[in-house]
Amino acid sequence: MSVDLASQLKRLREERNMSLEDLSLKVRIGVAKLQAYETGEEVPSTQTLLKLSNALEVPASNLQDGLSSL
């Protein structure tokens, strides 16, 4: 079963005990934009997915798998 991108982003961030502000500083994306990604209101670009995967220390493919369920 594929987990959607929004749920996956939030789960990964919380597993790493990171606040939205912490992640925002690491990827240089506003908190509101990150919240939109986590709620599914917006879908990040491929470049943004790479930034998020680096900040969350997971392979980009882990996040891209979440996109396939959209």
Side-chain angles (χ1 to χ4, degrees):
M1 179 171 126
S2 181
V3 177
D4 70 23
L5 178 64
S7 300
Q8 199 164 353
L9 278 174
K10 186 172 184 176
R11 181 182 56 81
L12 288 167
R13 179 180 59 78
E14 289 175 343
E15 282 177 0
R16 284 148 183 77
N17 295 316
M18 294 176 76
S19 67
L20 279 168
E21 292 79 14
D22 294 336
L23 185 56
S24 174
L25 290 172
K26 277 191 155 195
V27 295
R28 295 188 171 148
I29 295 172
V31 171
K33 183 68 86 172
L34 289 175
Q35 279 182 313
Y37 295 154
E38 286 190 0
T39 59
E41 293 172 29
E42 292 190 37
V43 178
S45 68
T46 302
Q47 184 177 3
T48 300
L49 277 176
L50 291 173
K51 288 180 184 179
L52 290 166
S53 69
N54 285 335
L56 295 168
E57 300 175 352
V58 296
S61 61
N62 286 16
L63 296 179
Q64 290 170 330
D65 289 346
L67 281 177
S68 64
S69 66
L70 295 177

